[in-house]
Amino acid sequence: MSRDIDATPENWQDLIRPNADGLVPVIVQEATSREVLMLAWMDVEAVRRTLDTRRATYWSRSRQEYWVKGETSGHVQHVRSLSLDCDADALLLSVDQTGPACHTNTPTCFTGRTISAD
């Protein structure tokens, strides 16, 4: 059941609802174009780091470590806003993207990967 959520710097940790692994999916959207860039994962600590630094910080499920987007590639995501969905179990991260968003060097993680619905 959805509910109204008013997240503040003081209460967001009480509102967010991670999955059984302690993670929340994050949809990353370019702030100006509104293009969906990627899907990633955060835990509460990654959210805290992201809010503190204004740089997108994620939890890598494969490497089991935190990573700051662009730390090695230079393709940085500067955070504009972070929103909870209606059930507080997913996040929408609005960013200013520098360079390609995908590790494959494509503009988005969805570039050239269309599955036809025809």
Side-chain angles (χ1 to χ4, degrees), residues 44-63:
V44 170
E45 179 60 24
V47 174
R48 184 178 297 110
R49 291 179 186 196
T50 296
L51 293 172
D52 287 348
T53 65
R54 306 300 285 178
R55 295 267 312 271
T57 304
Y58 304 108
W59 177 254
S60 171
R61 295 179 301 161
S62 60
R63 294 188 312 263

Side-chain angles (χ1 to χ4, degrees), residues 5-41:
I5 297 173
D6 188 18
T8 66
E10 295 79 31
N11 75 355
W12 67 264
Q13 291 179 85
D14 298 326
L15 298 174
I16 200 167
R17 296 176 47 199
N19 65 17
D21 296 323
L23 300 173
V24 178
V26 183
I27 300 162
V28 184
Q29 184 178 44
E30 210 292 317
T32 303
S33 71
R34 299 288 201 200
E35 185 171 29
V36 174
L37 301 175
M38 55 186 273
L39 172 76
W41 295 89

Side-chain angles (χ1 to χ4, degrees), residues 11 19 22 73-74 82 90 93 95 97-98 104 115:
N11 75 355
N19 65 17
S73 69
L82 183 62
L93 185 61
V95 302
Q97 176 71 44
T98 302
T104 64
I115 300 172

